[in-house]
């Protein structure tokens, strides 16, 4: 194919972001409150945001970006949807926190149970990290066993037990096994490659009677987007049943996103426990864990496994969450539309890369996708690591300068919102073609 010379996007004017980042570094470790925001993997400095509406972000210098992170998932309806803002505004005058039970916590629990039928009882917490930490504690209390199995490149928040072979920012920054996690804790976390059923069977057999829980992202978003292969989730379900292991689906990313009932509905597999976050707060800090009643009734005060939270079930967070979840429940058609739009984005990206002779792997499930800068298929962490992360960094910057806001690391997924229209798909694809060429000098 004959190509004209690549166009280079003009540098963005980011003086206020640059100044804020310099200030932030004096007061906040690395200048950010969550490592992946620091842009370490892609170069440059982070963009500080000012406001957002629908598909668009506006930074503190007035630049606008089409958003494909959506706060790492929760903004499935785009930013600041009126139904959520209205619910929050209506809730505010009654109090920002009671530290006592409220009606909305009951309504939220009922809603979650209706949408995710494997959840018979649910406890609200304040983040995905709290949800996963609590879930494994409960699984340990229930089984009387200590060890857990997790998968290389899966991320379950920053609880000690999970910072072994962890994905997301830990992987990007080269600290998948974090200092500060004691040997004792690390010994109880067994890790295996994703999508490798015999490896799981082997590790269970070697540790027979010692494994309390097997936790996974049923569709992984934290080594980039990786789908479970045919029969894999069912195989894990069977192994857990056979060996009395609590199967935990960490649906902090996939819950209410891949389907109303999450990945477990999409793939037709019933876990024993589920962890949730992000979307259920509509952008407010919320998480939840739940599952079979006989397991969840071990949680205090019903049972002896202690877990608590001053702000858990916060009235503003539950108002936002109920509004967003109710909308999702009442509009099942939006999942087909999200899927169609995301397929256009993913297929279009794959085609552009192919036309340029790059043949990059683009993985997609529903409204999540990732472009891996490798021509090899990606089914696990070792495959994901074939990616050319330098080229990814150049592509990221070239997209940013064209007003497209992607996850600032290869080992993350992109999240599509209902605010992305067919016209905006074209805007993305035009930028993608130019940025791919700029990043590779084609
Ligand atoms: C699958 C998964 N589990 C758990 C977490 C932790 O959630 P949080 O960042 O809200 O603590 C995340 C994201 O960060 C996640 O993607
Ligand atoms: N992959 C993480 C969760 O989705 C990224 C968000 C974060 O850690 O700040």
């Amino acid at each position: 194919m004959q190509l004209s010379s690549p166009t280079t996007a003009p540098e963005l004017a980011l003086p206020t972001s640059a100044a804020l980042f310099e200030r932030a570094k004096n007061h906040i470790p690395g200048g950010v409150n969550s490592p992946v925001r620091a842009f370490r993997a892609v170069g440059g400095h982070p963009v500080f945001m000012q406001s957002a509406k629908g598909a668009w972000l506006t930074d503190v210098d007035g630049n606008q970006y089409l958003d494909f992170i959506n706060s790492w998932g929760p903004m499935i309806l785009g930013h600041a949807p009126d139904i959520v803002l209205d619910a929050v505004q209506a809730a505010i005058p009654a109090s920002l926190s009671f530290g006592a039970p409220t009606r909305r916590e009951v309504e939220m629990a009922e809603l979650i149970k209706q949408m995710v039928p494997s959840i018979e009882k649910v406890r609200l917490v304040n983040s995905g990290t709290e949800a996963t930490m609590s879930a494994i504690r409960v699984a340990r209390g229930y089984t009387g066993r200590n060890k857990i199995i997790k998968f290389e490149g899966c991320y379950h928040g920053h609880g000690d037990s999970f910072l072994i072979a962890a994905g997301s920012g830990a992987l990007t920054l080269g600290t998948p096994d974090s200092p500060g996690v004691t040997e004792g804790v690390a010994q109880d976390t067994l890790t295996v490659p994703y999508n490798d059923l015999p490896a799981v069977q082997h590790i269970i057999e070697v540790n027979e009677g010692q494994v309390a829980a097997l936790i996974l992202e049923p569709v992984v978003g934290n080594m980039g987007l990786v789908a479970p292969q045919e029969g894999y989730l069912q195989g894990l379900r069977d192994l857990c049943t056979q060996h009395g292991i609590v199967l935990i689906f960490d649906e902090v990313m996939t819950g209410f996103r891949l389907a109303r009932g999450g990945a477990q509905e999409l793939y037709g597999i019933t876990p024993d426990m589920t962890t949730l976050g992000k979307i259920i707060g509509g952008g407010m800090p919320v998480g939840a864990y739940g599952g079979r009643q006989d397991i969840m009734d071990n949680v205090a005060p019903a049972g002896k496994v202690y877990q608590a939270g001053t702000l858990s079930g916060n009235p503003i967070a539950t108002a936002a969450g109920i509004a967003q979840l109710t909308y999702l429940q009442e509009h099942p058609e939006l999942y087909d539309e999200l899927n169609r739009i995301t397929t256009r984005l993913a297929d279009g990206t794959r085609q552009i890369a192919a036309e340029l002779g790059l043949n990059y792997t683009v993985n997609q499930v529903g409204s999540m996708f990732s472009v891996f800068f490798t021509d090899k298929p990606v089914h696990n962490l070792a495959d994901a690591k074939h990616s050319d992360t330098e080229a990814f960094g150049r592509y990221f910057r070239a997209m940013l300068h064209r007003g497209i806001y992607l996850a600032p690391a290869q080992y993350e997924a992109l999240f599509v919102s209902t605010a992305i229209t067919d016209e905006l798909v074209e805007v993305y694809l035009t930028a993608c073609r130019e940025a791919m060429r700029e990043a590779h000098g084609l």
Side-chain angles (χ1 to χ4, degrees):
M1 188 176 49
Q2 194 69 22
L3 293 170
S4 55
S5 36
T7 48
T8 304
E11 281 290 312
L12 276 175
L14 299 168
T16 316
S17 277
L20 279 171
F21 191 47
E22 285 311 308
R23 267 174 72 192
K25 282 191 284 189
N26 292 325
H27 311 295
I28 304 171
V32 289
N33 281 313
S34 198
V36 72
R37 297 179 196 173
F39 279 28
R40 288 262 173 108
V42 290
H45 60 77
V47 177
F48 283 61
M49 294 303 170
Q50 180 80 20
S51 65
K53 186 74 186 167
W56 295 94
L57 299 167
T58 304
D59 74 15
V60 286
D61 289 296
N63 302 297
Q64 291 205 306
Y65 311 86
L66 207 47
D67 187 14
F68 291 95
I69 305 184
N70 284 294
S71 190
W72 303 97
M75 316 318 290
I76 190 168
L77 303 177
H79 288 276
D82 290 343
I83 50 145
V84 177
L85 293 193
D86 291 349
V88 167
Q89 273 155 8
I92 284 172
S95 173
L96 298 183
S97 182
F98 298 101
T102 58
R103 176 187 294 271
R104 276 201 289 276
E105 290 165 78
V106 186
E107 291 171 356
M108 180 96 163
E110 286 169 348
L111 196 52
I112 290 173
K113 283 180 54 177
Q114 278 166 23
M115 293 174 80
V116 188
S118 72
I119 297 183
E120 293 170 350
K121 284 213 171 152
V122 61
R123 170 62 64 83
L124 295 183
V125 291
N126 302 294
S127 67
T129 295
E130 276 188 57
T132 53
M133 282 188 334
S134 309
I136 57 158
R137 186 182 306 139
V138 174
R140 284 173 166 149
Y142 170 75
T143 57
R145 302 172 178 177
N146 288 342
K147 296 190 177 174
I148 62 161
I149 295 175
K150 81 171 278 289
F151 294 86
E152 293 165 6
C154 278
Y155 178 68
H156 304 292
H158 62 86
D160 284 2
S161 302
F162 303 120
L163 291 179
I164 320 290
S168 187
L171 173 61
T172 302
L173 295 176
T175 50
D177 304 308
S178 176
V181 175
T182 64
E183 261 174 51
V185 169
Q187 271 167 13
D188 283 336
T189 300
L190 310 170
T191 59
V192 272
Y194 193 76
N195 269 328
D196 182 347
L197 212 45
V200 180
Q201 177 154 12
H202 176 72
I203 207 154
I204 290 175
E205 283 168 5
V206 170
N207 294 276
E208 187 61 59
Q210 299 176 64
V211 180
L214 182 150
I215 185 167
L216 78 156
E217 297 177 70
V219 172
V220 189
N222 284 298
M223 49 175 127
L225 196 275
V226 175
Q229 288 178 301
E230 182 78 36
Y232 181 62
L233 297 178
Q234 184 61 57
L236 295 177
R237 174 65 279 178
D238 294 344
L239 280 171
C240 285
T241 305
Q242 221 176 315
H243 295 272
I245 296 168
V246 177
L247 176 63
I248 306 174
F249 274 12
D250 180 355
E251 298 232 38
V252 165
M253 276 184 176
T254 53
F256 308 100
R257 171 165 281 281
L258 297 186
R260 282 187 296 179
Q264 54 195 270
E265 178 184 312
L266 190 67
Y267 291 95
I269 307 293
T270 306
D272 301 306
M273 294 185 80
T274 301
T275 53
L276 298 164
K278 301 186 192 261
I279 278 189
I280 67 167
M284 302 290 290
V286 191
Y289 66 98
R292 279 174 23 206
Q293 174 158 348
D294 61 321
I295 299 176
M296 288 301 290
D297 276 346
N298 286 276
V299 180
K304 290 197 158 53
V305 178
Y306 199 73
Q307 185 272 311
T310 304
L311 297 177
S312 294
N314 174 271
I316 312 305
T318 48
I322 289 170
Q324 179 148 287
L325 291 188
T326 304
Y327 188 88
L328 296 174
Q329 189 183 38
E330 290 173 354
H331 294 82
E333 70 286 354
L334 68 76
Y335 289 98
D336 285 343
E337 182 58 8
L338 272 172
N339 198 15
R340 184 186 72 78
I341 287 282
T342 310
T343 302
R344 281 200 64 201
L345 294 162
D347 287 354
T349 308
R350 197 179 293 113
Q351 195 180 329
I352 288 167
E355 282 168 12
L356 295 173
L358 299 165
N359 292 317
Y360 285 158
T361 294
V362 181
N363 286 353
Q364 181 211 346
V365 179
S367 59
M368 295 168 70
F369 76 108
S370 282
V371 188
F372 290 97
F373 278 49
T374 171
D375 58 5
K376 299 191 171 57
V378 179
H379 301 301
N380 57 33
L381 180 60
D383 294 341
K385 282 188 168 173
H386 287 131
S387 303
D388 180 346
T389 51
E390 296 289 323
F392 174 83
R394 294 193 297 275
Y395 172 71
F396 170 86
R397 290 193 298 278
M399 286 294 262
L400 188 74
H401 291 174
R402 288 172 173 80
I404 309 288
Y405 194 68
L406 304 177
Q410 170 72 94
Y411 305 121
E412 299 285 354
L414 301 178
F415 298 90
V416 179
S417 79
T418 56
I420 299 292
T421 58
D422 281 303
E423 288 78 25
L424 294 177
V425 170
E426 295 303 329
V427 172
Y428 163 90
L429 290 175
T430 301
C432 172
R433 183 181 301 278
E434 291 176 6
M436 279 286 178
R437 293 185 59 194
E438 184 182 324
H440 299 87
L442 293 169

